[in-house]
Amino acid sequence: MLSAINHCRVLTAPVVTQQVRAMSTIRKNERNIGIKGIEVYFPRTYVAQSDLEAYDGVSAGKYTKGLEQQAMAFTSDREDITSMALTSFTNLMRNNDVDYKDVGFLSVGTETLVDKSKSTKSVLMQQFSESGNYDVQGVDSINACYGGTAAIMNAINYIETSDDYDGRDAVVVTGDIAVYEKGAARPSGGAGIVSLLIGPNAPLAYDRGVTGTHMEHVHDFYKPVLNSEYAVVDGHLSIDCYLRALAGAYNTYKQRYARVHGDNFSLDKADYSLFHCPFGKLVRTSYAWLAYLDYVERPADPRFSGVPDKFMGLGIGAEAYGNKELLLTFRDLVKSDYESKVVPSLLLNQQLGNSYTGSLYMSLASLLSQKSSAELQQKRINMFSYGSGMAATLFSLKVVGDTSKIAMNDRVHEKLAQRVQMSAQEFTDTLDLRERTHNLNDYTPVGDIGMLFPGSYYNEYIDSKYRRQYKQVPLQGTVDYAENEKILSQA
Ligand code: CAA
């Protein structure tokens, strides 16, 4: 589609500027820019957290109740971030009937790098070749679990403010394979990827002007060992950093909300609160922490009538977020809201584990798969994104249209039911395999292709120059040979 903005460019210079400005203003004021489509992909194999507890010899309940996780997705050497991005992106395009010509921006948010220079997005460009569309802005966004949110902000900016915007939609692909070395962090791994179609007139509109961000320099979780898939992680510090960043982002969000809406924001004004979810327990704590932050601001609010005076004056620093009794008190206080406003978003994260950059958007997909479009109308969904290092943002989506077509709805449940459970030993062996092989060249992966979902892309061979070649498991019923051929010929 040739937009009116492009027409403006043939006018004389001063008029161009005025016209373009005028168009930008119209674009800003009239369109609900946001999420129009969501596609979730996760590996087919998983391990039960209860099996891992027994295998690791920790006390029963440590992972299932202590971390509030049920299962963890993992994958063999057959899948890497590129194959998963190919699967998810291709499914999004197919299931939403999007023509490759109609994408003007594509960005991948991930921290599961297979290349320090070439972006994952560049590999996805293979899919556009038939359409002849090479005019696609965007590359990868990287900062721990925050890359997907950064990519979404860039996509929204592209549509909202870029004079190059010509009416075509944006796509963000965001997810990771989260693996930790043996030890305390390993059960908080996972895997999954989400693709999002972003454009104007979206049913999930980005609420402009209220977004709050908090960034600092910290070493809570980072990946300095470039030939390893594992992070160096200070687990307890990372939780403190997460809660501190949440407080900072919430504070700015509240100030901006008051400026835009002329009203004070408090937690009860969010119909749903969604979080980056490394494990369920941290989300429960985070919701309690937000209630406490409201209490600090307005202790006389009737919502806090039962709160003991001893929590008065603890502030919003380590003395407060390090205080277990305080967090437990506020967990109890918001228990019923937590069940209705947060729990519906936990389904995928509790089943898949942490998908790093994908995690927050797994929360969104979970919510949409559990609530009907009618139930969601005009609801405010608050989204907290945290990336170690650190980068954090709290933003809102407003439901302003039919969500039944954008979400995977029943397909989320169907896909979860089609998974294959593996033993804790098989999980451990698979992670050992990845550890030994993920840096090799001239290597043929050995993982069982039969364990992949139909339609999944997989790594067939890594040649002597480290170039990865991908193939696709045939789609059920409709074997997509043409698509296979296309990928193979360009690999
Ligand atoms: N039954 C019930 N509960 C039990 C239990 C049992 N048998 N055994 C222990 N627990 C509870 C503990 O009391 C504790 O509860 P609280 O959180 O309410 O205090 C909880 O289980 C965890 O126990 P520990 O603190 O002893 O666990 P740990 O120290 O062995 O490891 C961890 C936990 C630090 C989170 C570790 O898994 C880790 O390092 N994970 C990676 C880092 C991470 O995920 N950080 C999250 C914030 S950073 C971020 O969000 C970015 C990202 O994605 C990585």
Side-chain angles (χ1 to χ4, degrees):
M1 185 183 101
L2 186 63
S3 76
I5 295 167
N6 277 347
H7 287 303
C8 292
R9 295 214 169 91
V10 297
L11 302 177
T12 56
V15 182
V16 170
T17 317
Q18 279 169 12
Q19 290 273 2
V20 168
R21 284 211 185 113
M23 289 305 296
S24 300
T25 312
I26 288 166
R27 193 166 60 194
K28 278 185 117 174
N29 292 340
E30 288 195 348
R31 292 176 173 178
N32 289 314
I33 299 165
I35 298 172
K36 298 164 76 169
I38 299 183
E39 187 70 37
V40 166
Y41 174 77
F42 45 82
R44 192 158 163 229
T45 40
Y46 74 95
V47 60
Q49 290 283 1
S50 52
D51 288 353
L52 266 189
E53 286 169 355
Y55 182 86
D56 289 349
V58 299
S59 55
K62 177 160 185 191
Y63 305 157
T64 47
K65 295 196 177 75
L67 297 181
E68 298 191 18
Q69 287 299 108
Q70 288 152 18
M72 179 170 29
F74 69 97
T75 190
S76 73
D77 58 350
R78 282 294 181 185
E79 289 186 287
D80 58 23
I81 196 58
T82 310
S83 69
M84 284 173 48
L86 278 165
T87 308
S88 163
F89 174 59
T90 313
N91 288 346
L92 177 89
M93 297 296 281
R94 184 193 306 109
N95 292 334
N96 290 274
D97 212 11
V98 183
D99 193 310
Y100 282 88
K101 287 197 198 77
D102 293 335
V103 175
F105 178 98
L106 171 63
S107 176
V108 177
T110 187
E111 55 167 302
T112 314
L113 306 187
V114 292
D115 195 300
K116 284 182 279 181
S117 172
K118 184 170 162 51
S119 65
T120 306
K121 180 267 178 92
S122 64
V123 185
L124 299 184
M125 287 308 297
Q126 291 175 109
Q127 310 298 70
F128 289 81
S129 58
E130 213 169 90
S131 71
N133 175 21
Y134 298 98
D135 177 20
V136 184
Q137 291 190 13
V139 284
D140 292 2
S141 283
I142 298 160
N143 187 96
C145 307
Y146 188 81
T149 299
I152 289 168
M153 297 297 163
N154 287 341
I156 290 169
N157 287 339
Y158 152 76
I159 295 166
E160 203 173 63
T161 60
S162 169
D163 288 342
D164 296 325
Y165 174 68
D166 56 10
R168 292 179 300 156
D169 283 338
V171 174
V172 166
V173 181
T174 181
D176 283 285
I177 298 171
V179 284
Y180 291 96
E181 65 188 347
K182 286 179 187 141
R186 183 161 270 194
S188 63
I193 191 159
V194 183
S195 288
L196 302 153
L197 181 65
I198 295 170
N201 307 316
L204 292 173
Y206 175 70
D207 191 18
R208 293 182 7 246
V210 298
T211 297
T213 288
H214 184 94
M215 300 208 184
E216 279 182 48
H217 168 53
V218 287
H219 277 112
D220 59 333
F221 166 112
Y222 48 109
K223 293 183 176 167
V225 186
L226 297 178
N227 61 358
S228 168
E229 284 199 291
Y230 301 145
V232 175
V233 57
D234 183 338
H236 291 280
L237 174 67
S238 74
I239 293 170
D240 290 354
C241 289
Y242 182 113
L243 295 175
R244 193 163 74 240
L246 178 55
Y250 191 46
N251 185 35
T252 312
Y253 177 94
K254 281 182 160 184
Q255 288 172 19
R256 298 216 163 113
Y257 184 95
R259 196 182 61 199
V260 170
H261 295 283
D263 188 12
N264 289 322
F265 184 85
S266 53
L267 192 53
D268 47 338
K269 293 209 166 98
D271 299 294
Y272 296 100
S273 290
L274 277 47
F275 298 85
H276 166 65
C277 177
F279 49 89
K281 173 71 85 55
L282 186 55
V283 171
R284 190 188 290 275
T285 303
S286 298
Y287 195 65
W289 177 235
L290 289 178
Y292 169 76
L293 296 172
D294 280 357
Y295 162 79
V296 170
E297 203 176 40
R298 280 194 180 67
D301 187 316
R303 284 187 298 151
F304 306 121
S305 55
V307 174
D309 289 345
K310 64 180 167 185
F311 299 134
M312 205 65 120
L314 286 184
I316 61 166
E319 222 185 317
Y321 57 70
N323 186 324
K324 281 246 178 307
E325 193 190 347
L326 180 153
L327 293 175
L328 284 173
T329 302
F330 280 86
R331 264 190 222 170
D332 285 345
L333 194 75
V334 293
K335 199 163 182 271
S336 112
D337 272 357
Y338 179 76
E339 291 300 323
S340 57
K341 298 179 171 187
V342 183
V343 168
S345 68
L346 294 179
L347 172 75
L348 283 163
N349 282 310
Q350 287 183 322
Q351 285 294 331
L352 308 178
N354 199 350
S355 54
Y356 290 160
T357 56
S359 168
L360 176 62
Y361 305 97
M362 290 289 179
S363 302
L364 183 61
S366 300
L367 176 73
L368 297 174
S369 75
Q370 318 243 43
K371 295 281 166 192
S372 70
S373 180
E375 283 174 292
L376 289 171
Q377 286 315 303
Q378 295 307 315
K379 296 290 191 283
R380 169 175 292 274
I381 304 174
N382 274 11
M383 310 271 293
F384 177 64
S385 178
Y386 179 79
S388 289
M390 69 169 58
T393 290
L394 177 62
F395 65 98
S396 290
L397 297 171
K398 279 211 74 184
V399 184
V400 293
D402 183 5
T403 61
S404 59
K405 293 202 180 66
I406 66 161
M408 289 182 67
N409 295 339
D410 290 347
R411 279 193 294 131
V412 164
H413 303 277
E414 206 180 289
K415 285 249 169 221
L416 284 173
Q418 288 166 357
R419 291 195 299 168
V420 181
Q421 183 172 351
M422 310 293 276
S423 69
Q425 186 60 58
E426 286 165 316
F427 163 74
T428 307
D429 292 345
T430 303
L431 261 58
D432 287 348
L433 170 73
R434 288 189 72 90
E435 199 175 307
R436 284 195 311 275
T437 63
H438 89 278
N439 266 335
L440 298 182
N441 62 341
D442 202 6
Y443 173 66
T444 304
V446 296
D448 183 357
I449 295 163
M451 286 296 174
L452 303 174
F453 279 119
S456 300
Y457 284 84
Y458 62 90
N459 201 340
E460 192 189 35
Y461 180 60
I462 303 166
D463 75 12
S464 58
K465 288 187 163 177
Y466 295 91
R467 292 173 300 191
R468 291 167 184 248
Q469 297 174 12
Y470 298 98
K471 264 180 116 173
Q472 190 185 20
V473 178
L475 287 163
Q476 228 159 15
T478 54
V479 179
D480 202 342
Y481 292 114
E483 198 151 20
N484 272 352
E485 285 307 312
K486 194 173 76 186
I487 293 298
L488 282 174
S489 65
Q490 288 160 5

